[in-house]
Amino acid sequence: MSRHDLTDEEWERLVPLLPVNPRQGGRWADHRTVINGVFFRVRTNITWRDLPSCYGNWKTVYNRHRRWSMDGTWEKVLDGLRAGCDAAEGADWTVSVDSTVVRAHQHAAGARQVPPRLPGKGDAVDHDSVKGREALGRSRGGFSTKIHLVADRRCRPIATLISPGRHADSPYFRRVLERVRIVRRGLGRPRKRPGRVLADKAYSSRGNRAYLRRRGIKAVIPIKKDQRANRLRQGRRGGRPPGFDAERYKERNTAERCVNKLRGHRAVALRTDKRARIYQGTIDVASIRIWLRDPT
């Protein structure tokens, strides 16, 4: 048994969230063996063909990861693990937003322009993959992808989103917050609005603050120097400066610590997946590992 494999306690929490065998057709290969193989690959970033034989056929492990990344199964498992994580804080539920740029290996390039088919969707294809060019771009660090994330106070990922590495942070502020979805443990709709959002100066814009205000979310975002100077030049027309809670802002490091946890998985820190959806599934698998080790 590898040290990256699921423990009995982790497996018991994961079993109720996994898909069951279909009534007709073939049966799934043993879930625990295959998932351990996926965890091993995400942690070590080993090539799929070099997976140890104890995890079975490498093609079976890869196909399972690809299928569950494309059809959203990993995301559903994450929703189950995160259920009710906001209950302890209640209306004061605080999250932090940040981003990180990861280098893309040369093997991550070269995906076919023909969009891949979505599993279980018949002839439906994933046009978003080609439209976004698989979330790959050129930045100062070279060929890269940017991960935008929302983290809670315990440094656990609440929502993630990827984009080409050259894209700025601020335009993705709303998009990553709209992916926040915490399922209730009892009856009720999922919670999509935290009580407070912490972010650095890169997210300081009039549009982002107005977005949070419309949703009734308190913003803890410092103002850029040029924005402050511009307001002062306008005098009374510049309006009052937005409120800023410096004491609360000290908790923003939880997002950076969450980034460190994700980058501890080598398949996240160095992208080798060609398709954006599969790399997003790799990030989801790393997030599942974090939530299994630090449950609600």
Side-chain angles (χ1 to χ4, degrees):
M1 178 177 177
S2 170
R3 61 189 180 92
H4 305 303
D5 292 350
L6 290 165
T7 64
D8 292 338
E9 182 180 354
E10 292 173 344
W11 176 244
E12 290 177 1
R13 290 201 301 270
L14 199 60
V15 166
L17 307 175
L18 299 177
V20 297
N21 283 315
R23 293 184 178 181
Q24 298 178 350
R27 294 292 184 264
W28 293 103
D30 181 57
H31 275 328
R32 187 167 185 174
T33 301
V34 174
I35 292 175
N36 281 335
V38 175
F39 282 159
F40 182 86
R41 184 264 171 181
V42 171
R43 184 67 177 181
T44 62
N45 205 12
I46 192 173
T47 57
W48 289 105
R49 292 179 181 272
D50 293 334
L51 273 177
S53 59
C54 61
Y55 300 118
N57 190 334
W58 71 268
K59 188 67 173 178
T60 301
V61 180
Y62 167 74
N63 286 341
R64 186 77 57 86
H65 176 59
R66 179 186 182 280
R67 184 181 185 89
W68 286 5
S69 298
M70 299 289 284
D71 65 11
T73 299
W74 290 128
E75 189 173 354
K76 293 177 182 177
V77 172
L78 259 178
D79 287 342
L81 292 174
R82 290 190 294 234
C85 67
D86 62 316
E89 299 182 42
D92 194 42
W93 183 40
T94 302
V95 299
S96 302
V97 179
D98 205 352
S99 68
T100 181
V101 177
V102 298
R103 291 293 301 273
H105 194 271
Q106 60 184 1
H107 294 166
R112 294 184 303 170
Q113 294 300 307
V114 179
R117 294 187 178 184
L118 297 174
K121 304 289 186 179
D123 293 331
V125 296
D126 182 19
H127 293 284
D128 292 338
S129 295
V130 176
K131 182 180 178 181
R133 297 306 300 270
E134 306 300 345
L136 290 169
R138 298 284 181 179
S139 63
R140 185 180 301 175
F143 208 41
S144 59
T145 295
K146 180 172 286 188
I147 304 175
H148 308 266
L149 65 88
V150 180
D152 66 359
R153 283 177 169 174
R154 292 168 63 175
C155 310
R156 300 173 300 187
I158 299 295
T160 57
L161 180 67
I162 60 175
S163 70
R166 65 180 181 275
H167 287 192
D169 295 343
S170 186
Y172 287 87
F173 182 74
R174 304 184 194 182
R175 294 178 59 182
V176 71
L177 282 177
E178 289 172 355
R179 295 176 67 92
V180 173
R181 183 178 180 275
I182 304 302
V183 179
R184 305 284 186 180
R185 288 181 175 172
L187 299 177
R189 294 177 297 177
R191 182 173 182 179
K192 300 181 179 181
R193 301 184 184 185
R196 185 178 285 102
V197 172
L198 283 61
D200 59 20
K201 293 181 180 180
Y203 300 94
S204 177
S205 71
R206 183 174 299 177
N208 289 340
R209 294 181 187 276
Y211 169 76
L212 295 177
R213 195 180 306 114
R214 288 195 304 269
R215 302 187 69 193
I217 303 173
K218 297 179 181 178
V220 183
I221 306 174
I223 309 173
K224 295 181 180 179
K225 291 183 178 180
D226 59 337
Q227 294 175 346
R228 182 184 297 109
N230 183 52
R231 190 187 69 254
L232 293 176
R233 281 197 301 269
Q234 295 181 19
R236 293 184 178 181
R237 293 179 299 173
R240 294 187 302 175
F244 175 67
D245 191 340
E247 194 64 27
R248 287 279 189 179
Y249 187 69
K250 294 179 180 179
E251 301 178 14
R252 197 195 63 82
N253 65 81
T254 55
E256 298 175 351
R257 289 154 63 189
C258 179
V259 167
N260 289 339
K261 287 185 178 182
L262 285 175
R263 293 179 72 101
H265 299 79
R266 295 189 176 185
V268 176
L270 178 63
R271 174 179 173 177
T272 55
D273 298 310
K274 292 182 183 296
R275 295 293 184 187
R277 282 183 179 267
I278 298 180
Y279 183 61
Q280 180 66 58
T282 299
I283 298 172
D284 290 341
V285 171
S287 301
I288 289 173
R289 197 59 162 167
I290 294 172
W291 279 90
L292 285 174
R293 292 178 176 176
D294 188 8
T296 56

